[in-house]
Amino acid sequence: MSAVSIAAIAAGLLATGCSAGLTASAARMPPTPPAIAAAPTAPATGYDGLTGLPLSAYGTSDQEDVLLHRTNEALVARCMRSLGYADYSHRKKPPTAAKTKAEKERIHPAGAWGYIGSATAKRIGFHVAVPLPVTEGPAGRELKDYNACWDKADRQLPSLTGTRGWRLTQDLFGRSLRQTAGDSRVGAARERWSACMRTAGHPAGAPEKLADGPWDTGKPTAKEISAATADESCTRSSHLAAVYFAVLAGYQRQLISAHTGVLNDYRKQVRDRVDRAARLLTAAATA
């Protein structure tokens, strides 16, 4: 199973508004507001903002996640063929890493930093979720063999989920998000964003709540497109994304400096796992 990327962890923590395993004493420690540039630059997309964060260097990139997934699928396929399933093929469409700006805009585009991506806003509003392909899975004896092959592949390329470094990166991400949410500069930017949205005719207290709904229609409505484009415009004029990611990066750098030992060890574990996946994938291809 491929490792969960840092960007995915951040998105999950943003959705729940909490961090995993954060101790009460650590949560009560008052943070020191980090210095940021007088006029910080906003990332091109929310995806770029998340993957460019200091803590993201301690996880896997999208390209590495694709490699890990392909390796797991190759190991399972080789195992299934050894059990007599000569025509076994991967049932899931292989994932690909986002490359273009349009693709990146569709990944974690909305959050506490606002909505980034005028083209996406005008075209599909907040309907940015990419539907997963529906595939028919194995059943009966094949399912039992498939699960056994999956377990065998997992032993060949063990997950780092639950390790000390993995838990720490989640804790630090959660802590940095909490600190950023309480930062007065982010609060002021969110107030400017909210005032702009009221003026635009789409009153909203928080960008992440605006993006969440109610947009449950099959296709984006004119009202949704209008709200999304106003959101994108207000995010720019309020400098919300620029301030948010600058402040978040500052808090993360502080946290990293206090936990360099464990984090560096974890980064080495991640790199070793990716390198092992590359070797296993090569071996599986030539077997």
Side-chain angles (χ1 to χ4, degrees), residues 5-276:
S5 68
I6 288 292
I9 292 174
L13 291 172
L14 280 165
T16 60
C18 65
S19 64
L22 185 62
T23 63
S25 59
R28 288 195 298 267
M29 291 177 61
T32 300
I36 64 172
T41 302
T45 66
Y47 168 89
D48 291 302
L50 287 172
T51 56
L53 288 170
L55 273 171
S56 292
Y58 296 89
T60 50
S61 67
D62 279 0
Q63 291 79 7
E64 290 168 340
D65 283 338
V66 169
L67 169 65
L68 291 165
H69 175 84
R70 289 177 57 202
T71 301
N72 178 269
E73 289 294 310
L75 293 174
V76 170
R78 183 172 65 178
C79 175
M80 290 292 285
R81 288 193 296 268
S82 73
L83 295 177
Y85 300 93
D87 59 346
Y88 177 84
S89 60
H90 304 166
R91 289 176 170 80
K92 296 181 180 179
K93 182 180 179 180
T96 57
K99 296 178 181 178
T100 67
K101 183 178 179 181
E103 290 173 336
K104 291 178 180 179
E105 283 184 9
R106 293 173 65 89
I107 304 175
H108 310 313
W113 55 83
Y115 185 85
I116 303 176
S118 59
T120 297
K122 293 175 182 177
R123 186 168 57 88
I124 56 176
F126 297 108
H127 277 62
V128 296
V130 179
L132 297 175
V134 178
T135 57
E136 183 178 350
R141 177 68 190 184
E142 184 181 358
L143 175 59
K144 182 178 180 180
D145 290 338
Y146 174 83
N147 288 336
C149 285
W150 181 277
D151 290 340
K152 181 179 179 180
D154 195 48
R155 289 193 298 272
Q156 291 176 275
L157 191 65
S159 170
L160 296 177
T161 301
T163 63
R164 182 186 181 193
W166 181 88
R167 292 196 306 268
L168 179 62
T169 53
Q170 289 208 89
D171 284 349
L172 296 185
F173 239 114
R175 200 183 312 182
S176 67
L177 292 170
R178 289 173 182 268
Q179 291 171 340
T180 300
D183 191 283
S184 61
R185 294 162 295 185
V186 172
R190 284 168 71 93
E191 285 296 328
R192 293 193 298 270
W193 176 89
S194 187
C196 177
M197 290 298 291
R198 286 196 300 272
T199 301
H202 298 282
E208 57 270 42
K209 291 183 180 179
L210 174 68
D212 285 342
W215 317 116
D216 55 356
T217 54
K219 295 182 178 180
T221 63
K223 181 178 180 181
E224 178 183 346
I225 295 293
S226 178
T229 53
D231 187 356
E232 189 275 335
S233 177
C234 288
T235 295
R236 281 188 289 107
S237 64
S238 66
H239 304 292
L240 173 56
V243 171
Y244 183 91
F245 281 108
V247 170
L248 179 57
Y251 281 119
Q252 288 196 0
R253 282 190 287 269
Q254 291 178 356
L255 292 168
I256 289 172
S257 66
H259 300 84
T260 54
V262 176
L263 288 174
N264 286 338
D265 286 345
Y266 179 61
R267 180 158 55 183
K268 184 179 183 304
Q269 290 177 323
V270 172
R271 299 283 77 79
D272 289 346
R273 184 169 186 263
V274 171
D275 290 344
R276 176 170 174 76

